[in-house]
Amino acid sequence: MQKLSTLEKWLDDLAASSAKKFYSSIRRFADFRGVTGNPLDAIVSLSGMSHRDGNEQARVWGESLIGCGLASGTVCGYISALSSAIRSLRIEGLTNLTIEGVSPKVVRVRDMAGPSRKDLERLILVLELSSYRDGGAKQWRAKRDLAIIRLLHNCGLRRQEALNLRIRDVRYMYAGTPIVVATRKGESASEAIGIGPKAAESMRRWLASRNSTCPNAFVFVQAHDLRQSDTVEAMRGESVRLMLLRRAKEAGVDSIVRPHGLRHTAATHMAHQSNIVSTLAMGMWVSPESVTPYIDRVGVNRADAMGSVDC
């Protein structure tokens, strides 16, 4: 009881916005521990554990949150809130448990892993059907989402690199090859990146629905009001992450699909076709040292490598 009153006082002393954030984090932990009623009871029960068991509880909780699709930064925030609550008990001498060190140890469990080829094809098939079958805003979003997924996977673009594209950057016939002109991370100059026929067709269908004649308008946008298609807000990175999670769930895909995971999937598929370090590094916009883990067998050229990711 004394521990619980100490935690309540600690929350009361916080600013209203901070208290709300901490209470939300503690409630999530209480749900994880199966504690009903006052969520602070979960912290009280945890504080009676040994140092090792307490750390293990927090680590497993963090992994379960990541498994549900939360970003690792968000998970670190939740565990930091848990650590702060425990710290308030330590100050009062009510527990010897310390879990402050848990937060920096939270890592993305499957951050580097992208969806399997089978899962990706299933996701794309469901979206493609929706882009033809559905009507109105639902069809509009399906075309947009299909174009994003195919572009991220086909080109190995980073999420923000794709979201920064303007309509003028998409060129369907450039020396006989569809391309997008994108600016790589950390660079000021733009580069022409070839895209496969299926990715190009998805981009063409999306931009037809995008219905904008302004070359400086963003390719991927948030709103679905086409009457203001030249001025709508560009799609945000977090929106893409949440969209992928939602679309994967709708398609019955069990693996977690993240924007950067599609980039790694593209690298893996390209490496199956080309083990030439300079070729793969050029395709993924990274240093040659970064692509060697993806290479596992001899391939031929970039054209064949790009064909392997045009699904």
Side-chain angles (χ1 to χ4, degrees), residues 117 120-121 153-154 196 265-274 280 297 301-311:
R117 179 83 177 195
L120 187 61
E121 288 175 347
H153 177 253
N154 187 245
T265 302
T268 301
H269 289 164
M270 287 182 68
H272 276 282
Q273 297 298 320
S274 175
L280 189 54
R297 68 182 177 87
N301 55 43
R302 177 173 165 77
D304 291 337
M306 288 300 294
S308 72
V309 293
D310 190 36
C311 61

Side-chain angles (χ1 to χ4, degrees), residues 18-32:
S18 297
K20 183 178 180 181
K21 179 185 69 175
F22 279 101
Y23 196 79
S24 174
S25 301
I26 293 168
R27 180 175 291 282
R28 277 182 171 265
F29 181 68
D31 292 341
F32 168 73

